Amino acid sequence: MLWSGWGDPALARELPSGVRALLRDFLGVRAPDVPAVGLEEVRLPPVALPEPLLGALAGVVGSAYVLTSHEARVRHTRGKSTPDLLRMRAGDGSAAPDAVVLPGSHEEVAELLRVCSAERVAVIPFGGGTSVVGGLTASGSGFTGVIALDLGRLDRLLSVDQESLVASFEPGVRAPEAERLLAAHGLTLGHFPQSFEYATLGGFAAARSSGQASAGYGRFDDMVVGLTVATPTGTLDLGRAPKSAAGPDLRQLVLGSEGAFGVITSLRLRVRRAPGERRYEGWRFGTFAEGTAAVRALAQEGPLPTVLRLSDETETMIGLAKPDAIGSGGSGCLLIAGYESTPASGSTPASGSTSASGSAPGWGSAAARQAAAAAVLARLGGEPLGAEPGEAWEHGRFSAPYLRDSLLGAGATVETLETAGFWANLPRLYDAVRLALAGALGSPLVMCHISHVYETGASLYFTVVVAQEGDPVAQWEHAKEAANAAIVAAGGTISHHHGVGREHRDAYAAEVGPVGVSILQAVKARLDPAGILNPGALIPPTTPPPAA
C-alpha cells in the first residue's frame, strides 16, 4: 500500500492532457508549487515509549513484532482521506505511532491491552489502513505513548460450516484472500467495496462497511453472525444463533465501533454459494429524478439486481463510473446494473428467492432477473445501453482512488463524502449537500451517485473536485464542516458506510443526541476505563455539566 496515496504504486497513472486542460480551464487547477516529499523525508516525533515498556510489549508478542523503524511508523500514520494524504505528502508525520505491534493470537491481543491499560498507552487498531474519516489518527495527549496494533498476523480462515453457510475468520484477512479461501469451498462473501483490494474483514466490521453488491448480498454488518472481541476488561464472545430475543444484540455495540470498545479477534460470517454467472449492463435516464424513481421501484417491488448504481447528470457527463476512461461520459444519468445466478450449478431459484431485498440465498437465473428488471426500467423511461457500460464499470470499479492520487498531484483537491436518507427526503438531502459544498468552495465540481438501495431509502455518494488554494487541508475541512452541518439539518445520517472516525464525531453526537452520547460514554467507561482504545475517535468527549 502506497504510504502517501492509494494502492500499488506501479498502478499510479498520469492524467491525460485533455483532462489536465479541463481542470485548468474550468476549475483553475494549477500544479502545486512544492512537490510531494519522499518517505524518508517525512518528519516524525521521537519515540516516546521508554525502553522498559517497549520490552514489555516485546515480551508479549516477541521482539520481531515490535517495530519502531522510520518506515514502519510512516506506513502506520493516518489513513487514506484526502486530508491524511495531503499531510503525508507535505511530510507531516506528527501523528505517527511510537511503535507498531503485531500480535499473533487473541491471547496476545488481550495481554497487550492489559499492559497498555496499566501503563496508559493509547492503542490504535490497524487493519488495511483504508479509513477515510480520520479513524487512524493517533491522539497521544495524556498518554505515555501510542502504538498501532497491526492485526496483519491474524490472517487465517478458521472454519467453514457448509450446512449453516457460516465461515469463521481472523480479522486481519484481506478481502481478496478471503474470497480466494472461500472459493476453494465454492463460496463467497460477495462484499466488494472500493477498498476491497486492501481492506480487512475486521476493518469491514469495525466500520460497518457496505460493498458495491450490497443490493444482492447486504451490508457487511448483515453478514456478521458472531464475533470475539478483546477489551481491557475481558473478552466478549457474541453470537450463538442466527437471531435471538435474548435482550439487546450486543454485536451491534461492536459493529461500527471503530476499535473504541475493543479489538475484534475473530468473526463468524454468513457466506453464500459462489455465483455461476455475472452480467452487467447500462441504462440511461433523462434526469436524476427519473432514474431515482426507477431505482426505487426496483428496490421496493423487485426484481432487485445484485449491483445497482445511478449517477447524476454531472457524474455521468464526467464519466466517473468508468475511472479508466475518465472524460468519456455522455448526457442524462447512467444506471449500472449487475445480475448473478446462484448457486453455481444454475438457474433454479432457491426457496424464498423472490424477495425484492435480494436477501435470499439463491436468486435463480441471471438472464431471467435481468429481463424482469429491464421491463421495469423501460417502463419508467430508461434507455438500454447494452453490456458495455456495465462491463466497463466492473473492470474499473477499484480504480477511482488512483484517479484521486493523480488529481492531487495535478493540484486539485478531490474528496468523497456520503450519507443516506429515506426516499421521500432524498431530493432535499441531495440539494442541501451540493449547496453547502458550493457555498464553502466557490465553484467546485460536485458529482453524486446512488450506490446502495433499500426498500425505504438509499445512500448518496458525493465526489468533489476543486482547485487547491492556500492551505488545502483547511480548505477541505471548511467544506466538510459545512457539508456535515447540511446533512444533519436535512435529516440524513452522517455516514452510510465510511464510519465516524474523528471527522464525523461532532455531527454524530448531534445525530444521536445527548442521551445517545451518554450511552456511548458509559459503554466506553465500562469496557475501556483507561480510555486507551482509539482515543478521540467515534466517542464524543465527556462535557462538564453547565454551571449552576
Side-chain angles (χ1 to χ4, degrees):
M1 188 72 153
L2 183 62
W3 64 273
S4 60
W6 183 263
D8 182 352
L11 298 180
R13 56 183 185 232
E14 287 294 318
L15 291 174
S17 58
V19 174
R20 286 181 176 272
L22 287 172
L23 290 169
R24 181 185 65 246
D25 296 341
F26 289 96
L27 293 177
V29 173
R30 298 291 183 271
D33 295 331
V34 180
V37 305
L39 186 149
E40 67 284 349
E41 299 173 278
V42 177
R43 303 177 300 278
L44 301 182
V47 174
L49 293 174
E51 285 297 330
L53 188 45
L54 289 171
L57 299 175
V60 177
V61 300
S63 58
Y65 299 113
V66 177
L67 311 178
T68 57
S69 69
H70 182 90
E71 179 172 352
R73 295 175 69 201
V74 168
R75 291 189 179 279
H76 290 78
T77 300
R78 303 191 175 95
K80 297 301 180 184
S81 70
T82 290
D84 286 339
L85 298 186
L86 288 169
R87 289 186 173 102
M88 297 306 292
R89 292 164 66 92
D92 177 4
S94 57
D98 296 297
V100 179
V101 182
L102 295 93
S105 68
H106 168 85
E107 290 72 22
E108 289 184 0
V109 173
E111 180 60 14
L112 285 169
L113 295 185
R114 187 195 67 77
V115 171
C116 290
S117 186
E119 299 293 338
R120 290 198 55 76
V121 176
V123 177
I124 312 297
F126 193 99
T130 62
S131 170
V132 293
V133 290
L136 299 175
T137 304
S139 176
S141 177
F143 295 95
T144 307
V146 178
I147 67 167
L149 191 70
D150 190 318
L151 299 167
R153 290 177 64 207
L154 296 174
D155 61 354
R156 296 179 299 158
L157 170 63
L158 300 174
S159 65
V160 175
D161 177 350
Q162 288 273 9
E163 185 174 1
S164 304
L165 287 181
V166 171
S168 296
F169 287 92
E170 290 181 320
V173 179
R174 295 187 186 273
E177 178 66 2
E179 287 297 325
R180 187 190 69 80
L181 292 167
L182 288 173
H185 299 272
L187 302 171
T188 182
L189 273 171
H191 191 70
F192 303 104
Q194 202 165 71
S195 61
F196 171 78
E197 295 169 303
Y198 296 95
T200 62
L201 302 186
F204 289 154
R208 285 191 185 272
S209 173
S210 192
Q212 294 167 340
S214 64
Y217 289 92
R219 295 163 51 94
F220 195 81
D221 45 350
D222 299 327
M223 303 176 189
V224 178
V225 298
L227 35 72
T228 303
V229 186
T231 82
T233 56
T235 295
L236 281 169
D237 192 3
L238 304 171
R240 57 175 58 197
K243 296 290 182 181
S244 171
D249 188 348
L250 296 182
R251 289 173 295 189
Q252 299 302 321
L253 280 177
V254 179
L255 296 170
S257 65
E258 302 180 26
F261 296 149
V263 178
I264 298 169
T265 57
S266 69
L267 304 103
R268 294 179 290 285
L269 303 175
R270 180 208 71 201
V271 294
R272 296 271 174 82
R273 307 291 182 198
E277 180 186 15
R278 289 189 174 100
R279 295 181 173 210
Y280 299 95
E281 65 179 0
W283 288 75
R284 188 182 309 282
F285 285 85
T287 67
F288 195 48
E290 292 172 0
T292 299
V295 167
R296 178 169 61 85
L298 291 177
Q300 293 178 338
E301 304 165 18
L304 188 59
T306 309
V307 172
L308 187 58
R309 167 190 171 121
L310 174 72
S311 295
D312 72 359
E313 292 89 344
T314 306
E315 185 171 290
T316 300
M317 177 184 66
I318 297 299
L320 198 61
K322 299 186 286 184
D324 289 340
I326 197 72
S328 62
S331 61
C333 294
L334 176 65
L335 182 146
I336 299 295
Y339 307 88
E340 295 183 0
S341 60
T342 57
S345 58
S347 59
T348 302
S351 175
S353 66
T354 57
S355 168
S357 69
S359 60
W363 300 312
S365 163
R369 293 182 69 82
Q370 182 178 15
V376 175
L377 296 173
R379 173 171 57 84
L380 294 174
E383 173 194 351
L385 301 178
E388 189 279 331
E391 291 174 353
W393 170 84
E394 193 273 339
H395 180 266
R397 61 179 169 165
F398 302 132
S399 300
Y402 291 100
L403 177 62
R404 178 181 63 167
D405 289 354
S406 301
L407 289 165
L408 288 175
T413 292
V414 56
E415 184 58 299
T416 62
L417 59 94
E418 42 80 34
T419 180
F422 297 113
W423 289 115
N425 194 43
L426 221 57
R428 177 189 176 205
L429 190 56
Y430 174 73
D431 290 339
V433 174
R434 293 167 71 238
L435 287 170
L437 291 168
L441 294 172
S443 299
L445 178 66
V446 181
M447 300 166 276
C448 182
H449 65 261
I450 291 174
S451 54
H452 307 278
V453 301
Y454 309 93
E455 292 184 19
T456 54
S459 71
L460 294 173
Y461 191 100
F462 296 88
T463 301
V464 189
V465 185
V466 68
Q468 293 179 12
E469 294 180 359
D471 179 351
V473 172
Q475 178 191 23
W476 174 249
E477 288 179 341
H478 172 63
K480 186 64 180 287
E481 183 178 357
N484 285 356
I487 288 170
V488 172
T493 180
I494 196 58
S495 177
H496 173 265
H497 56 269
H498 282 171
V500 174
R502 289 158 180 79
E503 291 188 7
H504 294 156
R505 190 184 64 187
D506 293 345
Y508 177 50
E511 183 172 328
V512 300
V515 174
V517 169
S518 68
I519 293 171
L520 295 170
Q521 292 168 342
V523 173
K524 175 75 168 176
R526 180 62 185 87
L527 295 178
D528 179 22
I532 63 166
L533 285 167
N534 211 357
L538 182 70
I539 311 297
T542 302
T543 55

